[in-house]
Structures are given as C-alpha cells and as structure tokens.
Amino acid sequence: MADDVELQEEGTKTLHLKALRIQWQIVAIQTIATLALIWLYLQLGSNFGACDAAHVDSEGAQLWCPALDHTLTLDMFENMLGSESGDSGFDLPLPDFLTGQGNEGPGRYYMPIILCGLLTAGWVFLNLQAPQLRRKVVLGGLIALILFLAGRLLLGWFWGMLTDWELYLPISSDVSRNHAETLVYPLVLYTQIFIVALFMIPVWTGMMGIWGLSRRMIGWSLGTTLVYLGIHALLSFEAVTVYFDLGLRPISPQISNEMVLGGLVSETIWPLLLMA
C-alpha cells in the first residue's frame, strides 16, 4: 500500500504556471505559436502593408495611407516635424534601424518584432516576481517616464526663477525663459514609440498571451487583427473608394489568370487563405 502511495506522488501533475513553463511540451507549443504569429504578421504586412500605386501627389511622391506599415506614419510624422521646424534633415529620436524606416518589404518589421520579443520577455519575467516587487518596478518605470518628460523643464524653470529671483511661467516668448521647449524631444520620442507600438499590437499582445499563458492578451491580438482587416476591406471596397479614397491597395479579385493547387484556388487569394 505504501508503494502505491509513493508511485501516485511521483506521478502527480500540477497546473501551477511556474511548473508548466519549464515543461518541454509547453515550451515547444509556445515556440511554434510564436513563429506562426510572426509569420502571420509578415503575411499581413505583405498583403496589406502598401498603398495603391496610383496614390501619389503631383510630383509623383507616394502619399500616406492607413496601410499596415508603421514606417509610412513615421515618415509622415518626421516630414511634418521637419517642415514645422524648417529643418529638411530632421530625424526622429529613434534610429531608423530600430524602427524599420528606409527598409522595404519584410525588413520593415524585423527589428520591431525583435523589440516586441524583448518586451515580452521582460513582461513575463516581471510577472513571475512577487507582487510587491512588480508594483515597485511599475511605479519606478512610471516615475522615470515622468522625470524624462518633465524633469528638465522643472529643473530649468526652478533654477531660472532662483537665479533671476523672480516668479514666471515656464512658457514665454523670451528664449531664456521658455523652458517648455525641453518637452519637445521626449514628446516626439514617446509619439514615435506609440506609433510603432500601435501598429505592432497584434505581435506584442500575441507574444504576451503565448508566453504569459494569457487568453486575454491572445484575444487582444486576434481582435485587433480582425478589426484592421475589416476596416481595410471596408475602406478599400470599390463602392466606398468612389466617395472616400484613402489610397489603400484594394484586395485582388478572387478570379485571376494564375491558379494554384491544380487550378482550385486563385493565386491572389492563396495568401489570404493561409492567414485564415
């Protein structure tokens, strides 16, 4: 009887997350799911990440459109800031190799996907820590973001009032007293990060759901993907583009001259079936 009890103890399985994470079956499934998620996003970028070729200005330059390509929005944001500042060579704070600007095809997404992976690794590691430590790390991160945003403004403003021995607002036409200019760099940086994170929502939420074993995050990944596909299909529909054309590349028709799988499926529809 004692031997039976001992065998039962040795064969006991647990559903504790910390124990499940180290099982090779779980890790293998998570790895396959992550690769499938990355492949899916690259397929989305290949099919929905470009504007219509005819969507150009009078000089032949490509105009912005709401395609699944964060570099289009970053380029527009960069050009807008450059024209406002009068600096034709204005560059955003994050270098192009981190955001994918200047790259073509899947190269636009490689580094952002890697950054999403690093973010996911940090998020999963943080969730494995004690609640008190998690709260301290989150609070420290928020304080660091606030200080990076307004720290220089507050220090310069207080120091200016102390040296001039006069109270004044941090916004002024006087350059020496216009401390609000120090907000420009962090705000531009935060906006750049927000744009990349917004377009990469399916990736980082999906990775967090896969490696954090969170159905809620996986739901966010699937939901945002379906919402974008629905909006893209609506805005690129021929009956809509007649009145409201944003320059999206329309989805190819189901019937085409090139067929695959022995003539069963149109070549233009095959990538969409793979994503589905």
Side-chain angles (χ1 to χ4, degrees), residues 122-141:
W123 181 79
V124 172
F125 178 77
L126 182 61
N127 282 340
L128 294 176
Q129 309 307 310
Q132 297 83 356
L133 179 59
R134 291 203 301 266
R135 285 194 292 267
K136 291 180 181 179
V137 172
V138 172
L139 180 60

Side-chain angles (χ1 to χ4, degrees), residues 87-162:
D87 183 8
S88 59
F90 180 85
D91 292 324
L92 294 175
L94 291 180
D96 292 348
F97 80 91
L98 284 179
T99 61
Q101 283 182 270
N103 295 336
E104 299 292 337
R108 299 168 293 177
Y109 309 107
Y110 289 155
M111 278 306 300
I113 288 176
I114 293 175
L115 294 177
C116 288
L118 296 177
L119 175 65
T120 301
W123 181 79
V124 172
F125 178 77
L126 182 61
N127 282 340
L128 294 176
Q129 309 307 310
Q132 297 83 356
L133 179 59
R134 291 203 301 266
R135 285 194 292 267
K136 291 180 181 179
V137 172
V138 172
L139 180 60
L142 291 176
I143 293 175
L145 291 175
I146 294 174
L147 289 178
F148 181 74
L149 174 64
R152 291 176 56 196
L153 181 145
L154 295 176
L155 290 176
W157 182 28
F158 291 153
W159 179 255
M161 290 190 295
L162 183 62

